[in-house]
Amino acid sequence: LLLPEGDAASAPCVVFIAGSGPTNRDWLSAMLPGTNGSARQLAEALVEEGVGSIRYDKAVIGESTWPIGEATLDLYRDEARQAWRVMTEQPVCGRVSFIGNSEGSVHSFRAGVLLQNEPRFGGIVSLSGPATGLLDLVKIQLKAQLPEGRDLEAVDKQLDDLDARIRRLPVQDGPPVLSLIPSAASIWMSVLHPLQGELVRDILLVEPLESIGVYTGAALIMGADLDVQVAPSEAE
């Protein structure tokens, strides 16, 4: 929690919402090198400009002690709403907005739909948020990692089969054949995980445009030309 000095209810304030994977409140991940902590850097820069903020570890991530088997897509949405309410209780904060990165953008819009009529709700800043369904986006990312020369038509057939089997779960009709794209096997294993499988499936199958389509508040949509996961066309 970083709060600027100022008069009561005068400062714009924001809630930072992290992206996918084990990304903590500072937007650091054990899966990625470095200790930059872009959310921390943004928060420290914003408070110098008079903008307050809160960062938190989503359920099961960082220092959160929430049981992995109880984490759901709606829990992530409700955590964002609760963080928003915490900020509205800070005497210095006026309107409170969301800043969501990547998957965090999805949670921002899902929470924003439920808060958009609140007088203190400011809006949403989406940083490299997806517009495409996350399972489709993962398939695009997996294909982008392939070496040149692969039969992309055959790869598409295997990925489409993976897609169909994930959407049929919990019906179990055997594992997909992923001989042309073995890196996709980790996706299949994740959706079958006895504790986190349901959460992974919910995240993969969420359609971001469903929430965006009924959100009527203010929004700033930003995309990065060099983002390695979410193409700038998603922002467009």
Side-chain angles (χ1 to χ4, degrees), residues 3-71:
L3 297 174
E5 297 179 359
D7 298 329
S10 63
C13 292
V14 298
V15 176
F16 283 95
I17 308 177
S20 61
T23 306
N24 69 11
R25 72 186 78 176
D26 291 338
W27 297 1
L28 291 169
S29 172
M31 297 175 64
L32 298 172
T35 56
N36 284 340
S38 53
R40 176 183 55 77
Q41 290 189 6
L42 283 168
E44 291 173 350
L46 285 172
V47 77
E48 292 297 320
E49 299 295 328
V51 179
S53 66
I54 190 171
R55 313 187 305 278
Y56 63 94
D57 291 331
K58 293 187 302 184
V60 192
I61 296 165
E63 297 179 19
S64 169
T65 58
W66 200 279
I68 190 171
E70 297 180 14

Short mmCIF file of all heavy atoms in Angstrom, two decimals, residues 3-71:
data_model
loop_
_atom_site.label_atom_id
_atom_site.label_comp_id
_atom_site.label_asym_id
_atom_site.label_seq_id
_atom_site.Cartn_x
_atom_site.Cartn_y
_atom_site.Cartn_z
N LEU A 3 0.54 5.42 -0.33
CA LEU A 3 -0.41 6.52 -0.35
C LEU A 3 0.32 7.85 -0.36
O LEU A 3 1.29 8.04 0.38
CB LEU A 3 -1.33 6.45 0.87
CG LEU A 3 -2.22 5.21 0.98
CD1 LEU A 3 -2.96 5.21 2.31
CD2 LEU A 3 -3.21 5.17 -0.18
N PRO A 4 -0.11 8.77 -1.19
CA PRO A 4 0.52 10.10 -1.22
C PRO A 4 -0.01 10.97 -0.09
O PRO A 4 -1.05 10.68 0.52
CB PRO A 4 0.08 10.65 -2.58
CG PRO A 4 -1.28 10.05 -2.78
CD PRO A 4 -1.20 8.66 -2.17
N GLU A 5 0.70 12.03 0.18
CA GLU A 5 0.19 13.03 1.10
C GLU A 5 -0.84 13.88 0.35
O GLU A 5 -0.79 14.01 -0.86
CB GLU A 5 1.33 13.90 1.62
CG GLU A 5 2.37 13.13 2.42
CD GLU A 5 3.49 14.03 2.89
OE1 GLU A 5 3.45 15.24 2.58
OE2 GLU A 5 4.41 13.52 3.57
N GLY A 6 -1.78 14.42 1.10
CA GLY A 6 -2.76 15.26 0.43
C GLY A 6 -4.00 15.43 1.25
O GLY A 6 -4.13 14.89 2.36
N ASP A 7 -4.95 16.18 0.69
CA ASP A 7 -6.22 16.42 1.36
C ASP A 7 -7.11 15.19 1.26
O ASP A 7 -6.91 14.31 0.42
CB ASP A 7 -6.93 17.62 0.72
CG ASP A 7 -6.11 18.90 0.85
OD1 ASP A 7 -5.38 19.02 1.87
OD2 ASP A 7 -6.19 19.75 -0.06
N ALA A 8 -8.10 15.13 2.12
CA ALA A 8 -9.01 13.97 2.16
C ALA A 8 -9.71 13.79 0.81
O ALA A 8 -10.21 14.74 0.21
CB ALA A 8 -10.04 14.16 3.26
N ALA A 9 -9.71 12.53 0.37
CA ALA A 9 -10.44 12.12 -0.84
C ALA A 9 -10.07 12.94 -2.06
O ALA A 9 -10.91 13.22 -2.92
CB ALA A 9 -11.95 12.16 -0.60
N SER A 10 -8.78 13.30 -2.17
CA SER A 10 -8.37 14.13 -3.31
C SER A 10 -7.50 13.37 -4.31
O SER A 10 -7.36 13.80 -5.46
CB SER A 10 -7.60 15.35 -2.82
OG SER A 10 -6.40 14.96 -2.16
N ALA A 11 -6.89 12.25 -3.89
CA ALA A 11 -5.91 11.57 -4.75
C ALA A 11 -6.57 10.48 -5.58
O ALA A 11 -7.36 9.70 -5.07
CB ALA A 11 -4.79 10.96 -3.91
N PRO A 12 -6.22 10.41 -6.88
CA PRO A 12 -6.62 9.21 -7.63
C PRO A 12 -5.82 8.02 -7.11
O PRO A 12 -4.64 8.15 -6.76
CB PRO A 12 -6.22 9.56 -9.07
CG PRO A 12 -5.15 10.58 -8.94
CD PRO A 12 -5.42 11.34 -7.68
N CYS A 13 -6.46 6.87 -7.03
CA CYS A 13 -5.79 5.68 -6.51
C CYS A 13 -6.09 4.50 -7.42
O CYS A 13 -7.09 4.49 -8.14
CB CYS A 13 -6.25 5.37 -5.08
SG CYS A 13 -5.69 6.61 -3.87
N VAL A 14 -5.19 3.49 -7.39
CA VAL A 14 -5.32 2.36 -8.30
C VAL A 14 -5.07 1.04 -7.57
O VAL A 14 -4.38 1.00 -6.55
CB VAL A 14 -4.35 2.46 -9.50
CG1 VAL A 14 -4.66 3.71 -10.33
CG2 VAL A 14 -2.91 2.47 -9.03
N VAL A 15 -5.63 -0.01 -8.13
CA VAL A 15 -5.40 -1.39 -7.69
C VAL A 15 -4.63 -2.09 -8.80
O VAL A 15 -5.10 -2.16 -9.94
CB VAL A 15 -6.73 -2.13 -7.44
CG1 VAL A 15 -6.46 -3.59 -7.08
CG2 VAL A 15 -7.54 -1.45 -6.35
N PHE A 16 -3.44 -2.61 -8.49
CA PHE A 16 -2.66 -3.37 -9.46
C PHE A 16 -3.09 -4.83 -9.42
O PHE A 16 -3.16 -5.43 -8.35
CB PHE A 16 -1.16 -3.28 -9.14
CG PHE A 16 -0.52 -1.99 -9.52
CD1 PHE A 16 -0.37 -0.96 -8.59
CD2 PHE A 16 -0.05 -1.78 -10.81
CE1 PHE A 16 0.23 0.23 -8.94
CE2 PHE A 16 0.55 -0.58 -11.17
CZ PHE A 16 0.69 0.43 -10.23
N ILE A 17 -3.33 -5.42 -10.60
CA ILE A 17 -3.73 -6.82 -10.68
C ILE A 17 -2.75 -7.54 -11.61
O ILE A 17 -2.62 -7.21 -12.78
CB ILE A 17 -5.16 -6.99 -11.19
CG1 ILE A 17 -6.12 -6.13 -10.36
CG2 ILE A 17 -5.59 -8.46 -11.14
CD1 ILE A 17 -7.56 -6.18 -10.84
N ALA A 18 -2.07 -8.55 -11.05
CA ALA A 18 -0.99 -9.24 -11.77
C ALA A 18 -1.53 -10.18 -12.84
O ALA A 18 -2.70 -10.57 -12.83
CB ALA A 18 -0.13 -10.02 -10.77
N GLY A 19 -0.64 -10.56 -13.73
CA GLY A 19 -0.97 -11.49 -14.81
C GLY A 19 -0.89 -12.94 -14.39
O GLY A 19 -0.91 -13.27 -13.20
N SER A 20 -0.77 -13.82 -15.37
CA SER A 20 -0.90 -15.26 -15.15
C SER A 20 0.36 -15.87 -14.54
O SER A 20 1.42 -15.24 -14.46
CB SER A 20 -1.22 -15.97 -16.46
OG SER A 20 -0.17 -15.76 -17.39
N GLY A 21 0.21 -17.14 -14.14
CA GLY A 21 1.34 -17.86 -13.57
C GLY A 21 1.64 -17.39 -12.16
O GLY A 21 0.87 -16.65 -11.55
N PRO A 22 2.80 -17.79 -11.64
CA PRO A 22 3.16 -17.41 -10.26
C PRO A 22 3.71 -15.99 -10.18
O PRO A 22 4.84 -15.75 -9.74
CB PRO A 22 4.23 -18.45 -9.90
CG PRO A 22 4.89 -18.77 -11.21
CD PRO A 22 3.78 -18.71 -12.24
N THR A 23 2.90 -15.03 -10.64
CA THR A 23 3.31 -13.63 -10.67
C THR A 23 2.82 -12.94 -9.41
O THR A 23 1.61 -12.86 -9.18
CB THR A 23 2.75 -12.92 -11.92
OG1 THR A 23 3.12 -13.67 -13.09
CG2 THR A 23 3.29 -11.51 -12.03
N ASN A 24 3.74 -12.41 -8.62
CA ASN A 24 3.35 -11.88 -7.32
C ASN A 24 2.92 -10.42 -7.39
O ASN A 24 2.76 -9.85 -8.48
CB ASN A 24 4.47 -12.08 -6.29
CG ASN A 24 5.70 -11.21 -6.56
OD1 ASN A 24 5.68 -10.29 -7.38
ND2 ASN A 24 6.78 -11.49 -5.86
N ARG A 25 2.76 -9.80 -6.23
CA ARG A 25 2.23 -8.43 -6.15
C ARG A 25 3.11 -7.40 -6.85
O ARG A 25 2.62 -6.37 -7.31
CB ARG A 25 2.03 -8.03 -4.68
CG ARG A 25 3.35 -7.79 -3.95
CD ARG A 25 3.15 -7.55 -2.47
NE ARG A 25 2.90 -8.81 -1.77
CZ ARG A 25 2.77 -8.89 -0.44
NH1 ARG A 25 2.87 -7.80 0.29
NH2 ARG A 25 2.57 -10.04 0.14
N ASP A 26 4.42 -7.68 -6.91
CA ASP A 26 5.33 -6.76 -7.59
C ASP A 26 5.46 -7.06 -9.08
O ASP A 26 6.19 -6.37 -9.78
CB ASP A 26 6.72 -6.82 -6.94
CG ASP A 26 6.72 -6.23 -5.54
OD1 ASP A 26 5.82 -5.42 -5.23
OD2 ASP A 26 7.62 -6.58 -4.76
N TRP A 27 4.76 -8.09 -9.54
CA TRP A 27 4.82 -8.59 -10.90
C TRP A 27 6.17 -9.23 -11.19
O TRP A 27 6.76 -9.06 -12.26
CB TRP A 27 4.45 -7.53 -11.92
CG TRP A 27 3.03 -7.05 -11.78
CD1 TRP A 27 2.11 -7.45 -10.85
CD2 TRP A 27 2.36 -6.10 -12.60
NE1 TRP A 27 0.92 -6.80 -11.02
CE2 TRP A 27 1.04 -5.96 -12.09
CE3 TRP A 27 2.73 -5.34 -13.68
CZ2 TRP A 27 0.11 -5.08 -12.64
CZ3 TRP A 27 1.79 -4.47 -14.23
CH2 TRP A 27 0.50 -4.35 -13.73
N LEU A 28 6.65 -9.98 -10.21
CA LEU A 28 7.81 -10.85 -10.36
C LEU A 28 7.33 -12.28 -10.43
O LEU A 28 6.36 -12.66 -9.77
CB LEU A 28 8.76 -10.70 -9.15
CG LEU A 28 9.51 -9.38 -9.02
CD1 LEU A 28 10.17 -9.30 -7.66
CD2 LEU A 28 10.54 -9.23 -10.13
N SER A 29 8.01 -13.11 -11.23
CA SER A 29 7.63 -14.50 -11.38
C SER A 29 8.84 -15.40 -11.24
O SER A 29 9.92 -15.09 -11.78
CB SER A 29 6.98 -14.74 -12.75
OG SER A 29 6.79 -16.12 -12.98
N ALA A 30 8.65 -16.51 -10.54
CA ALA A 30 9.73 -17.49 -10.42
C ALA A 30 10.08 -18.11 -11.76
O ALA A 30 11.15 -18.71 -11.92
CB ALA A 30 9.32 -18.58 -9.43
N MET A 31 9.18 -17.97 -12.75
CA MET A 31 9.41 -18.56 -14.07
C MET A 31 10.22 -17.65 -14.98
O MET A 31 10.61 -18.06 -16.07
CB MET A 31 8.06 -18.89 -14.73
CG MET A 31 7.24 -19.92 -13.98
SD MET A 31 5.61 -20.17 -14.72
CE MET A 31 6.06 -20.84 -16.32
N LEU A 32 10.46 -16.42 -14.54
CA LEU A 32 11.16 -15.45 -15.39
C LEU A 32 12.35 -14.87 -14.64
O LEU A 32 12.27 -14.63 -13.43
CB LEU A 32 10.21 -14.32 -15.80
CG LEU A 32 9.00 -14.73 -16.64
CD1 LEU A 32 8.06 -13.55 -16.81
CD2 LEU A 32 9.44 -15.25 -18.01
N PRO A 33 13.45 -14.61 -15.34
CA PRO A 33 14.62 -14.03 -14.68
C PRO A 33 14.40 -12.56 -14.34
O PRO A 33 13.54 -11.90 -14.90
CB PRO A 33 15.72 -14.19 -15.73
CG PRO A 33 14.99 -14.17 -17.04
CD PRO A 33 13.68 -14.86 -16.77
N GLY A 34 15.21 -12.09 -13.40
CA GLY A 34 15.19 -10.66 -13.10
C GLY A 34 14.41 -10.32 -11.85
O GLY A 34 13.58 -11.10 -11.37
N THR A 35 14.69 -9.15 -11.31
CA THR A 35 14.03 -8.69 -10.09
C THR A 35 13.54 -7.25 -10.25
O THR A 35 13.51 -6.48 -9.29
CB THR A 35 15.00 -8.76 -8.89
OG1 THR A 35 16.19 -8.00 -9.20
CG2 THR A 35 15.39 -10.19 -8.58
N ASN A 36 13.17 -6.87 -11.48
CA ASN A 36 12.74 -5.50 -11.73
C ASN A 36 11.46 -5.14 -10.98
O ASN A 36 11.34 -4.07 -10.42
CB ASN A 36 12.51 -5.28 -13.23
CG ASN A 36 13.82 -5.15 -13.98
OD1 ASN A 36 14.84 -4.86 -13.40
ND2 ASN A 36 13.78 -5.37 -15.29
N GLY A 37 10.49 -6.06 -10.97
CA GLY A 37 9.23 -5.77 -10.30
C GLY A 37 8.52 -4.57 -10.90
O GLY A 37 8.44 -3.50 -10.31
N SER A 38 7.97 -4.74 -12.10
CA SER A 38 7.42 -3.59 -12.82
C SER A 38 6.24 -2.95 -12.09
O SER A 38 6.05 -1.73 -12.16
CB SER A 38 7.02 -3.99 -14.24
OG SER A 38 6.16 -5.12 -14.23
N ALA A 39 5.42 -3.74 -11.38
CA ALA A 39 4.31 -3.14 -10.64
C ALA A 39 4.83 -2.29 -9.49
O ALA A 39 4.31 -1.20 -9.22
CB ALA A 39 3.38 -4.22 -10.10
N ARG A 40 5.86 -2.77 -8.81
CA ARG A 40 6.46 -1.98 -7.74
C ARG A 40 7.03 -0.68 -8.29
O ARG A 40 6.85 0.40 -7.71
CB ARG A 40 7.55 -2.77 -7.03
CG ARG A 40 8.29 -1.98 -5.95
CD ARG A 40 9.41 -2.79 -5.33
NE ARG A 40 10.35 -3.30 -6.32
CZ ARG A 40 11.30 -2.55 -6.89
NH1 ARG A 40 11.43 -1.25 -6.59
NH2 ARG A 40 12.12 -3.09 -7.77
N GLN A 41 7.73 -0.78 -9.42
CA GLN A 41 8.31 0.43 -10.02
C GLN A 41 7.22 1.42 -10.43
O GLN A 41 7.35 2.63 -10.21
CB GLN A 41 9.16 0.05 -11.24
CG GLN A 41 10.44 -0.69 -10.89
CD GLN A 41 11.34 -0.86 -12.10
OE1 GLN A 41 11.07 -0.33 -13.18
NE2 GLN A 41 12.44 -1.57 -11.93
N LEU A 42 6.15 0.91 -11.02
CA LEU A 42 5.04 1.78 -11.41
C LEU A 42 4.41 2.43 -10.19
O LEU A 42 4.11 3.63 -10.18
CB LEU A 42 3.99 0.98 -12.18
CG LEU A 42 4.31 0.64 -13.63
CD1 LEU A 42 3.33 -0.40 -14.17
CD2 LEU A 42 4.27 1.90 -14.49
N ALA A 43 4.20 1.63 -9.14
CA ALA A 43 3.57 2.16 -7.93
C ALA A 43 4.42 3.25 -7.30
O ALA A 43 3.91 4.29 -6.85
CB ALA A 43 3.34 1.02 -6.93
N GLU A 44 5.74 3.02 -7.25
CA GLU A 44 6.64 4.01 -6.66
C GLU A 44 6.69 5.29 -7.49
O GLU A 44 6.79 6.40 -6.95
CB GLU A 44 8.03 3.41 -6.49
CG GLU A 44 8.08 2.32 -5.41
CD GLU A 44 9.41 1.59 -5.35
OE1 GLU A 44 10.25 1.81 -6.27
OE2 GLU A 44 9.61 0.80 -4.41
N ALA A 45 6.61 5.13 -8.82
CA ALA A 45 6.60 6.31 -9.69
C ALA A 45 5.28 7.07 -9.56
O ALA A 45 5.26 8.31 -9.53
CB ALA A 45 6.83 5.90 -11.14
N LEU A 46 4.17 6.32 -9.47
CA LEU A 46 2.86 6.96 -9.39
C LEU A 46 2.68 7.74 -8.10
O LEU A 46 2.09 8.82 -8.09
CB LEU A 46 1.75 5.91 -9.55
CG LEU A 46 1.53 5.39 -10.96
CD1 LEU A 46 0.54 4.22 -10.94
CD2 LEU A 46 1.03 6.49 -11.89
N VAL A 47 3.15 7.17 -6.97
CA VAL A 47 2.94 7.86 -5.70
C VAL A 47 3.70 9.19 -5.69
O VAL A 47 3.28 10.16 -5.04
CB VAL A 47 3.34 6.96 -4.50
CG1 VAL A 47 4.86 6.89 -4.31
CG2 VAL A 47 2.65 7.44 -3.23
N GLU A 48 4.82 9.25 -6.42
CA GLU A 48 5.55 10.52 -6.54
C GLU A 48 4.73 11.56 -7.31
O GLU A 48 4.95 12.76 -7.18
CB GLU A 48 6.89 10.28 -7.24
CG GLU A 48 7.88 9.47 -6.43
CD GLU A 48 8.29 10.16 -5.14
OE1 GLU A 48 8.49 11.40 -5.18
OE2 GLU A 48 8.38 9.49 -4.10
N GLU A 49 3.79 11.07 -8.13
CA GLU A 49 2.92 11.97 -8.91
C GLU A 49 1.57 12.18 -8.22
O GLU A 49 0.64 12.72 -8.81
CB GLU A 49 2.69 11.40 -10.31
CG GLU A 49 3.96 11.22 -11.13
CD GLU A 49 4.64 12.55 -11.44
OE1 GLU A 49 3.90 13.56 -11.58
OE2 GLU A 49 5.88 12.59 -11.53
N GLY A 50 1.46 11.69 -6.96
CA GLY A 50 0.23 11.90 -6.21
C GLY A 50 -0.84 10.85 -6.41
O GLY A 50 -2.01 11.08 -6.08
N VAL A 51 -0.45 9.67 -6.94
CA VAL A 51 -1.40 8.59 -7.17
C VAL A 51 -1.13 7.46 -6.18
O VAL A 51 -0.02 6.91 -6.16
CB VAL A 51 -1.31 8.05 -8.62
CG1 VAL A 51 -2.29 6.91 -8.83
CG2 VAL A 51 -1.56 9.18 -9.61
N GLY A 52 -2.12 7.10 -5.38
CA GLY A 52 -1.97 6.01 -4.43
C GLY A 52 -2.22 4.67 -5.08
O GLY A 52 -2.85 4.59 -6.14
N SER A 53 -1.74 3.60 -4.46
CA SER A 53 -1.94 2.26 -5.05
C SER A 53 -1.86 1.17 -4.00
O SER A 53 -1.31 1.35 -2.91
CB SER A 53 -0.89 2.00 -6.14
OG SER A 53 0.41 1.90 -5.57
N ILE A 54 -2.42 0.03 -4.39
CA ILE A 54 -2.30 -1.19 -3.59
C ILE A 54 -1.92 -2.32 -4.53
O ILE A 54 -2.39 -2.40 -5.67
CB ILE A 54 -3.62 -1.53 -2.84
CG1 ILE A 54 -3.38 -2.67 -1.84
CG2 ILE A 54 -4.75 -1.86 -3.80
CD1 ILE A 54 -4.57 -2.90 -0.91
N ARG A 55 -0.99 -3.17 -4.07
CA ARG A 55 -0.60 -4.37 -4.80
C ARG A 55 -0.83 -5.54 -3.85
O ARG A 55 -0.61 -5.43 -2.64
CB ARG A 55 0.88 -4.32 -5.21
CG ARG A 55 1.29 -3.02 -5.82
CD ARG A 55 2.72 -3.03 -6.37
NE ARG A 55 3.76 -3.41 -5.44
CZ ARG A 55 4.32 -2.59 -4.54
NH1 ARG A 55 3.88 -1.35 -4.43
NH2 ARG A 55 5.28 -3.01 -3.76
N TYR A 56 -1.25 -6.68 -4.39
CA TYR A 56 -1.53 -7.83 -3.54
C TYR A 56 -1.18 -9.12 -4.28
O TYR A 56 -1.19 -9.16 -5.52
CB TYR A 56 -3.00 -7.85 -3.10
CG TYR A 56 -3.98 -7.99 -4.24
CD1 TYR A 56 -4.47 -9.24 -4.62
CD2 TYR A 56 -4.42 -6.87 -4.95
CE1 TYR A 56 -5.36 -9.38 -5.67
CE2 TYR A 56 -5.31 -7.00 -6.00
CZ TYR A 56 -5.78 -8.26 -6.35
OH TYR A 56 -6.66 -8.38 -7.40
N ASP A 57 -0.87 -10.15 -3.51
CA ASP A 57 -0.64 -11.47 -4.09
C ASP A 57 -1.99 -12.15 -4.30
O ASP A 57 -2.76 -12.31 -3.35
CB ASP A 57 0.21 -12.33 -3.15
CG ASP A 57 1.65 -11.83 -3.04
OD1 ASP A 57 2.13 -11.25 -4.02
OD2 ASP A 57 2.27 -12.05 -1.98
N LYS A 58 -2.29 -12.52 -5.52
CA LYS A 58 -3.53 -13.24 -5.79
C LYS A 58 -3.52 -14.58 -5.05
O LYS A 58 -2.47 -15.08 -4.64
CB LYS A 58 -3.68 -13.48 -7.30
CG LYS A 58 -3.89 -12.20 -8.09
CD LYS A 58 -4.22 -12.49 -9.55
CE LYS A 58 -3.16 -13.29 -10.25
NZ LYS A 58 -3.43 -13.48 -11.68
N ALA A 59 -4.69 -15.17 -4.90
CA ALA A 59 -4.83 -16.45 -4.19
C ALA A 59 -3.83 -17.48 -4.71
O ALA A 59 -3.66 -17.63 -5.92
CB ALA A 59 -6.25 -16.98 -4.33
N VAL A 60 -3.16 -18.16 -3.79
CA VAL A 60 -2.24 -19.26 -4.04
C VAL A 60 -0.85 -18.77 -4.50
O VAL A 60 0.06 -19.56 -4.68
CB VAL A 60 -2.81 -20.27 -5.08
CG1 VAL A 60 -2.00 -21.55 -5.13
CG2 VAL A 60 -4.26 -20.61 -4.77
N ILE A 61 -0.69 -17.47 -4.72
CA ILE A 61 0.54 -16.93 -5.31
C ILE A 61 1.28 -16.08 -4.27
O ILE A 61 0.65 -15.44 -3.42
CB ILE A 61 0.20 -16.10 -6.57
CG1 ILE A 61 -0.41 -17.00 -7.64
CG2 ILE A 61 1.44 -15.38 -7.11
CD1 ILE A 61 -1.09 -16.25 -8.76
N GLY A 62 2.61 -16.05 -4.37
CA GLY A 62 3.40 -15.23 -3.47
C GLY A 62 3.21 -15.65 -2.02
O GLY A 62 3.35 -16.81 -1.67
N GLU A 63 2.84 -14.70 -1.17
CA GLU A 63 2.65 -14.98 0.25
C GLU A 63 1.22 -15.37 0.59
O GLU A 63 0.89 -15.54 1.77
CB GLU A 63 3.09 -13.76 1.07
CG GLU A 63 4.56 -13.43 0.94
CD GLU A 63 4.96 -12.21 1.75
OE1 GLU A 63 4.21 -11.85 2.68
OE2 GLU A 63 6.02 -11.62 1.46
N SER A 64 0.36 -15.49 -0.41
CA SER A 64 -1.02 -15.89 -0.14
C SER A 64 -1.06 -17.31 0.40
O SER A 64 -0.36 -18.21 -0.09
CB SER A 64 -1.85 -15.83 -1.43
OG SER A 64 -3.11 -16.45 -1.24
N THR A 65 -1.88 -17.54 1.40
CA THR A 65 -2.02 -18.88 2.00
C THR A 65 -3.34 -19.54 1.61
O THR A 65 -3.73 -20.52 2.21
CB THR A 65 -1.93 -18.78 3.54
OG1 THR A 65 -2.96 -17.89 4.02
CG2 THR A 65 -0.57 -18.25 3.97
N TRP A 66 -4.00 -18.99 0.61
CA TRP A 66 -5.28 -19.57 0.18
C TRP A 66 -5.04 -20.97 -0.39
O TRP A 66 -4.15 -21.16 -1.20
CB TRP A 66 -5.91 -18.68 -0.89
CG TRP A 66 -7.39 -18.90 -1.03
CD1 TRP A 66 -8.00 -19.89 -1.73
CD2 TRP A 66 -8.43 -18.13 -0.43
NE1 TRP A 66 -9.35 -19.79 -1.61
CE2 TRP A 66 -9.65 -18.72 -0.82
CE3 TRP A 66 -8.45 -17.01 0.39
CZ2 TRP A 66 -10.88 -18.21 -0.41
CZ3 TRP A 66 -9.67 -16.50 0.80
CH2 TRP A 66 -10.87 -17.10 0.40
N PRO A 67 -5.84 -21.98 0.01
CA PRO A 67 -5.65 -23.34 -0.51
C PRO A 67 -5.85 -23.39 -2.02
O PRO A 67 -6.83 -22.85 -2.54
CB PRO A 67 -6.73 -24.15 0.22
CG PRO A 67 -7.10 -23.33 1.41
CD PRO A 67 -6.94 -21.90 0.99
N ILE A 68 -4.95 -24.06 -2.71
CA ILE A 68 -4.99 -24.09 -4.17
C ILE A 68 -6.28 -24.71 -4.69
O ILE A 68 -6.81 -24.31 -5.73
CB ILE A 68 -3.76 -24.83 -4.75
CG1 ILE A 68 -3.69 -24.64 -6.26
CG2 ILE A 68 -3.76 -26.30 -4.36
CD1 ILE A 68 -2.41 -25.14 -6.88
N GLY A 69 -6.81 -25.68 -3.96
CA GLY A 69 -8.03 -26.35 -4.42
C GLY A 69 -9.27 -25.48 -4.33
O GLY A 69 -10.32 -25.84 -4.86
N GLU A 70 -9.18 -24.34 -3.64
CA GLU A 70 -10.34 -23.46 -3.48
C GLU A 70 -10.25 -22.20 -4.34
O GLU A 70 -11.13 -21.36 -4.31
CB GLU A 70 -10.48 -23.06 -2.01
CG GLU A 70 -10.75 -24.25 -1.09
CD GLU A 70 -10.89 -23.82 0.37
OE1 GLU A 70 -11.05 -22.61 0.62
OE2 GLU A 70 -10.83 -24.70 1.25
N ALA A 71 -9.16 -22.06 -5.10
CA ALA A 71 -9.01 -20.89 -5.96
C ALA A 71 -9.88 -21.03 -7.20
O ALA A 71 -9.93 -22.10 -7.83
CB ALA A 71 -7.56 -20.71 -6.36
#
